Amino acid sequence: MTARPAGAGAGVRPRGPRVSLPPVLMYHSISTSELPDPHRVRVHPGRLDRHLRLLRRLGLRGVSLGELVAAADRGRARGLVGLTFDDGYTDFLHEAVPVLARHGMTGTLYVVAGRLGGWNGWDDGPRLALLDADGVRAVAAAGHEVGSHTLTHVRLAGADPATLSREVAGSRRVLEDVLQAEVPGFCYPWGDFDEAAAEAVRSAGYDHACVTGDYRPGDRFTVPRCYVAPGDTGAHLVARLARHHLRVR
Ligand SMILES: [Zn+2]
């Protein structure tokens, strides 16, 4: 999960050109489970299907954050929406990928690289299974972007240089080894970051990174995202997108 504590990112100065991106939606688990969901991170696959159907009706296409940033670089991001899924749960492969495929859309899955095949031990909600290396490769093979969400889902604001290097650069090396491909995307766990964390992401060779919520201003290493709640109807989603757009533009 990535709920951002108040004040995260305070004082971080954008280094590159300010990015002007279409909205980026933030999902976590996509599941039919009826277990308690105290952190409100589970969206039913049927609801995801309705969200994506609505995006299509609005003339929008959901894409990975990598594709969104690349399109923005070419001035071609109009009509796109970023779709991101945090933490690397197994349900992404089994529940979200078929829905995305049905709508011809792609997304970015942010994986906790040191917990492959494990579970979400960083929070006190129900245990949720995380994809193993084969699962991560299957996600990439299905056309989705795999990004890093650190090695162990730690808070990066205030972290010492060794922790930043291990969690940020180390997780990239793990995923590149798993995928045998470059990993350009990063996502700050808990949405928690500061200037040193953003600099660690830049210097580790990533191309873009996203935060949580309506953070502004930002460069491509602090891309804001719009949280999607478990019960969001299409009307809620449109209202969130509109509100988010007003706050981050
Ligand atoms: Zn997370």
Side-chain angles (χ1 to χ4, degrees):
M1 62 177 301
T2 50
R4 184 163 65 91
V12 176
R13 298 176 304 280
R15 288 291 182 82
R18 186 165 139 64
V19 285
S20 180
L21 288 175
V24 180
L25 297 177
M26 174 178 65
Y27 293 90
H28 290 78
S29 171
I30 304 297
S31 169
T32 57
S33 166
E34 295 184 354
L35 287 172
D37 180 24
H39 301 296
R40 297 171 52 76
V41 293
R42 184 174 64 230
V43 170
H44 192 284
R47 192 171 290 278
L48 175 67
D49 184 70
R50 290 195 289 281
H51 290 171
L52 302 189
R53 194 183 307 272
L54 173 68
L55 293 180
R56 283 172 58 186
R57 275 212 305 274
L58 295 172
L60 299 169
R61 184 165 66 89
V63 296
S64 68
L65 192 54
E67 187 175 340
L68 191 73
V69 170
D73 286 345
R74 300 192 306 272
R76 304 287 296 271
R78 194 183 171 91
L80 301 180
V81 173
L83 298 178
T84 63
F85 300 81
D86 287 14
D87 300 338
Y89 299 116
T90 55
D91 57 47
F92 179 80
L93 184 58
H94 306 300
E95 302 287 1
V97 165
V99 176
L100 289 161
R102 196 149 62 233
H103 294 283
M105 299 187 186
T106 61
T108 301
L109 180 71
Y110 290 111
V111 169
V112 182
R115 296 281 183 266
L116 299 185
W119 58 286
N120 56 328
W122 56 84
D123 69 37
D124 58 1
R127 277 173 78 133
L128 301 175
L130 301 170
L131 288 170
D132 61 12
D134 283 342
V136 169
R137 283 188 283 267
V139 166
H144 304 284
E145 179 183 15
V146 174
S148 169
H149 201 34
T150 71
L151 276 181
T152 60
H153 207 282
V154 289
R155 293 185 183 279
L156 294 180
D160 60 72
T163 300
L164 283 177
S165 172
R166 188 173 62 246
E167 294 284 342
V168 176
S171 62
R172 186 166 193 245
R173 283 193 294 273
V174 168
L175 291 179
E176 290 187 338
D177 191 44
V178 166
L179 295 166
Q180 292 295 298
E182 250 190 85
V183 172
F186 183 85
C187 173
Y188 304 89
W190 315 99
D192 190 38
F193 68 104
D194 58 13
E195 181 60 42
E199 183 53 36
V201 174
R202 290 183 199 104
S203 62
Y206 291 97
D207 174 68
H208 51 269
C210 55
V211 303
T212 303
D214 301 328
Y215 177 73
R216 182 180 186 278
D219 59 16
R220 65 198 293 136
F221 293 96
T222 53
V223 174
R225 293 186 296 166
C226 181
Y227 164 75
V228 182
D232 276 359
T233 63
H236 287 130
L237 196 67
V238 169
R240 280 188 194 280
L241 287 170
R243 203 163 48 231
H244 181 73
H245 176 70
L246 288 174
R247 286 180 182 159
V248 304
R249 69 182 177 159

